[in-house]
Amino acid sequence: MADIFDVIADATRRELLEHLREAALASTSGELSVGELVERMDATQPTVSKHLKVLRDHGLVHVRDEGQHRYYRIDVEPLEEVEDFLLPFLALDDAQSGASIPIFAAWAGADVEHAGSTMGRAAADASYRARSAIQGAQGRFADVQEQLHEVQEKVSRRFPWRRDEP
């Protein structure tokens, strides 16, 4: 089975994702039908359907059936794997260019176009680090809850008592 990088390597699938991203930003449903996608692309309906199936099989899109129509919307969660892979490389580029604190570089009058790109990378890297820290903390919290539950069970077995007794 292809990994996420193989899936997004295809230009047609990237174009489909881009159209679905635009739909997500432009409407409350964030959905496009197969017909609407065919109209927006320079591809046939069978080609669009084939690529949508690949995207669906890898969790990048959700499909909703309504009568004879199928409506697709993007799911960005699997793309976090790609983001997680790329961020360390983008941070390396920032470190090599000496832009360790990009916001100060922009305030100091550095090349704002480059600083904007660097700030975006820094923000994405900070977001990744924060998300990783939160996920780690959630995992540790779940472990502590499980340990507490086990201790409570041991205590209640060792010291059985009823609430209505003094």
Side-chain angles (χ1 to χ4, degrees), residues 55-89:
L55 293 171
R56 188 177 64 244
D57 290 346
H58 287 83
L60 288 162
V61 298
H62 292 287
V63 64
R64 179 179 63 85
D65 293 325
E66 187 176 294
Q68 295 181 350
H69 299 284
R70 299 186 96 168
Y71 294 90
Y72 287 86
R73 67 181 162 81
I74 194 167
D75 182 356
V76 296
E77 188 175 324
L79 293 171
E80 289 178 1
E81 179 182 339
V82 176
E83 178 187 40
D84 292 347
F85 177 79
L86 292 176
L87 279 175
F89 293 98

Side-chain angles (χ1 to χ4, degrees), residues 106-159:
W107 287 337
D111 180 5
V112 177
E113 183 177 326
H114 180 265
S117 168
T118 303
M119 285 186 284
R121 289 177 185 165
D125 185 50
S127 171
Y128 165 75
R129 285 184 277 129
R131 188 172 51 253
S132 296
I134 289 168
Q135 288 171 345
Q138 287 173 330
R140 290 187 299 278
F141 181 70
D143 291 343
V144 168
Q145 281 183 314
E146 185 178 321
Q147 291 171 355
L148 178 60
H149 181 72
E150 290 171 3
V151 168
Q152 286 173 330
E153 285 182 355
K154 287 179 185 177
V155 168
S156 64
R157 281 192 303 267
R158 184 154 186 194
F159 302 105

